[in-house]
């Protein structure tokens, strides 16, 4: 494998730590935002201080997709990562165990990324095992695919399936909502039939959840769409519930599982469930990422990082303004990791 680090060319400026290089305050004069940044400082300006806490711990990286690795776009089917971002994720995943946890379906997520990313799992005697896959968790963590998992007593084995991928590698699927698939298919069919009457509405099949995008729906038509979704969901109210995101409404199974649970599952799979020698980093921009932020807060370890250019209530400890700052942070993390592991 090529070990040379070519990521610095993607940085928008010098890599010297400190607010003079990546100072979000200078780019936004809103005093409310500046005050918010005092509570959730820029992860780039704080980079040296954050990495000083590693001290032999294993860094594990968790990333949301839309709004984090790819900008929010008008057409959900065209939410592709840029080449620099793809390179940055590849470098980070080459150095640290890495997982992408998204509301998208796992298959669509892999299609969007469209690369083979190398990850290393930190195990006993401080060796690294190279794998051909990053962990992918689609449907807000309800569809997880990764390398073979250890026997996990705290998780129901009926949701875990060992399988072989198209390259002949053994992988593990964990799908805690798979018993809801028949109902999801019925809801999807009904929503597609009824939502087609609302111009601009787009119903997306994300396997274990259904996303209804209304970015192109006129204000005067939004009420009609909301009513349609409400009526459909009410028929399955004992098993499904409605959540809201950025110009999207989602129908999800009513199970005790979210991105925070997916994070804990992956940490346990990696052997870090009760370990004090791990430092998780989770970067996300959506309300659903708050569940993962809260998990890290409760564990009292790691860095939950929110992607937002406006003040908002969050359990994150640090912030990044947008995907360009996510790119800068990942590039810097890869460069730091290259030095730390050399």
């Amino acid at each position: 494998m090529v070990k040379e680090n070519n990521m610095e060319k993607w940085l928008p400026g010098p890599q010297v730590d400190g607010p003079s290089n990546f100072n979000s305050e200078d780019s936004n004069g809103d005093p409310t935002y500046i005050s918010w940044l005092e509570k959730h400082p820029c992860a780039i300006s704080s980079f040296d201080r954050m990495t000083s806490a590693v001290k032999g711990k294993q860094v594990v990286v968790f990333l949301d997709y839309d709004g984090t690795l790819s900008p929010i776009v008008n057409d959900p089917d065209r939410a592709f990562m840029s080449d620099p971002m793809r390179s940055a994720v590849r470098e980070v995943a080459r150095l640290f165990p890495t997982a992408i946890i998204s509301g998208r379906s796992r298959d669509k997520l892999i299609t969007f990324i469209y690369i083979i990313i190398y990850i290393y799992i930190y195990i006993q005697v401080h060796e690294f095992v190279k794998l051909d896959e990053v962990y992918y968790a689609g449907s807000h963590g309800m569809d997880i695919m990764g390398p073979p998992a250890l026997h996990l007593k705290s998780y129901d084995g009926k949701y875990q399936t060992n399988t072989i991928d198209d390259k002949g590698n053994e992988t593990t699927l964990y799908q805690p909502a798979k018993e809801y698939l028949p109902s999801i298919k019925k809801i999807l069919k009904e929503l597609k039939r009824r939502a087609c009457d609302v111009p601009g509405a787009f119903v997306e099949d994300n396997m274990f959840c259904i996303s209804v995008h209304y970015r192109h729906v006129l204000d005067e038509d939004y009420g009609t769409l909301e009513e349609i979704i409400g009526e459909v969901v009410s028929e399955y109210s004992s098993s499904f519930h409605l959540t809201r995101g950025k110009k999207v409404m989602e129908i999800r199974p009513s199970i005790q599982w979210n991105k925070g649970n997916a994070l804990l599952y992956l940490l346990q799979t990696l052997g870090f469930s009760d370990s004090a020698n791990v430092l998780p980093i989770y970067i996300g921009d959506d309300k659903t990422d708050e569940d993962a932020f809260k998990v890290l807060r409760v564990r009292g370890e790691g860095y939950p990082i929110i992607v937002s250019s406006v003040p908002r209530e969050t359990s994150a400890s640090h912030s990044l303004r947008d995907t360009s700052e996510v790119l800068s942070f990942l590039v810097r993390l890869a460069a730091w990791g290259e030095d730390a592991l050399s």
Side-chain angles (χ1 to χ4, degrees):
M1 180 183 296
V2 178
K3 298 287 286 186
E4 182 180 359
N5 177 25
N6 296 316
M7 298 306 301
E8 294 182 6
K9 65 183 180 179
W10 301 119
L11 281 171
Q15 295 188 64
V16 180
D17 186 64
S20 60
N21 292 290
F22 294 98
N23 193 338
S24 294
E25 291 94 325
D26 291 341
S27 60
N28 190 321
D30 181 2
T32 305
Y33 184 71
I34 295 174
S35 176
W36 182 80
L37 278 172
E38 294 177 358
K39 299 178 181 179
H40 313 283
C42 175
I44 303 173
S45 298
S46 305
F47 188 85
D48 280 354
R49 185 165 59 255
M50 293 167 69
T51 53
S52 68
V54 174
K55 296 179 181 178
K57 296 181 179 181
Q58 173 61 47
V59 173
V60 182
V61 180
F62 299 91
L63 302 165
D64 181 30
Y65 188 79
D66 292 279
T68 300
L69 299 181
S70 170
I72 301 294
V73 295
N74 289 331
D75 183 355
D77 282 339
R78 300 198 60 79
F80 298 106
M81 282 196 297
S82 66
D83 288 340
M85 184 69 83
R86 185 177 292 109
S87 297
V89 173
R90 181 189 293 116
E91 288 297 300
V92 168
R94 183 173 65 84
L95 297 164
F96 310 110
T98 300
I100 298 175
I101 304 178
S102 171
R104 299 276 189 165
S105 69
R106 175 171 46 83
D107 289 343
K108 185 171 292 186
L109 186 61
I110 294 173
T111 300
F112 278 154
I113 295 171
Y114 197 60
I115 54 173
I116 296 176
I117 302 179
Y118 296 93
I119 71 169
Y120 291 73
I121 293 184
Y122 189 78
I123 58 174
Q124 294 178 351
V125 303
H126 296 249
E127 292 181 347
F128 290 88
V129 179
K130 184 177 72 175
L131 300 170
D132 290 332
E133 307 258 357
V134 71
Y135 277 115
Y136 295 99
S139 302
H140 299 293
M142 289 182 283
D143 186 18
I144 302 174
M145 182 184 74
L150 300 173
H151 181 60
L152 304 178
K153 295 182 180 179
S154 56
Y155 293 94
D156 195 330
K158 71 179 181 180
Y159 300 130
Q160 188 163 290
T161 305
N162 293 323
T163 185
I164 304 295
D165 66 14
D166 55 4
K167 295 181 182 179
N169 299 316
E170 187 178 355
T171 62
T172 297
L173 294 179
Y174 190 76
Q175 300 172 321
K178 64 180 181 180
E179 60 199 44
Y180 291 84
L181 276 176
S183 294
I184 291 172
K185 291 179 180 178
K186 292 179 181 178
I187 296 173
L188 179 66
K189 183 178 180 179
E190 181 67 9
L191 277 177
K192 284 187 173 181
R193 182 183 69 83
R194 297 185 60 181
C196 67
D197 293 332
V198 181
F202 173 64
V203 179
E204 183 180 17
D205 178 7
N206 283 316
M207 192 167 183
F208 291 103
C209 65
I210 301 168
S211 302
V212 183
H213 301 269
Y214 58 88
R215 189 171 298 275
H216 297 294
V217 174
L218 297 176
D219 290 344
E220 54 264 35
D221 293 329
Y222 173 76
T224 301
L225 179 63
E226 189 175 40
E227 183 178 348
I228 289 172
I229 295 173
E231 290 175 355
V232 173
V233 174
S234 66
E235 298 177 18
Y236 299 86
S237 59
S238 62
S239 302
F240 291 85
H241 65 282
L242 183 68
T243 63
R244 299 173 187 271
K246 295 180 178 179
K247 298 290 184 179
V248 62
M249 290 179 278
E250 292 188 319
I251 296 91
R252 299 166 60 181
S254 296
I255 62 172
Q256 292 299 313
W257 193 268
N258 53 45
K259 288 186 177 182
N261 299 107
L263 183 153
L264 289 172
Y265 172 85
L266 288 166
L267 283 177
Q268 184 167 344
T269 301
L270 291 165
F272 296 125
S273 59
D274 299 314
S275 175
N277 297 319
V278 62
L279 192 142
I281 297 174
Y282 189 108
I283 307 176
D285 77 303
D286 197 72
K287 291 179 181 179
T288 58
D289 296 309
E290 292 292 333
D291 294 314
F293 295 163
K294 291 173 183 175
V295 164
L296 295 187
R297 287 289 201 178
V298 170
R299 286 175 65 99
E301 61 186 8
Y303 296 111
I305 303 173
I306 189 170
V307 182
S308 180
S309 59
V310 297
R312 49 191 281 198
E313 192 70 28
T314 181
S315 294
S317 61
H318 291 74
S319 66
L320 295 166
R321 281 182 57 82
D322 49 31
T323 55
S324 66
E325 286 201 353
V326 173
L327 171 60
S328 296
F329 180 85
L330 293 179
V331 167
R332 191 159 186 187
L333 181 63
W336 173 84
E338 190 77 37
D339 292 338
L341 296 174
S342 61

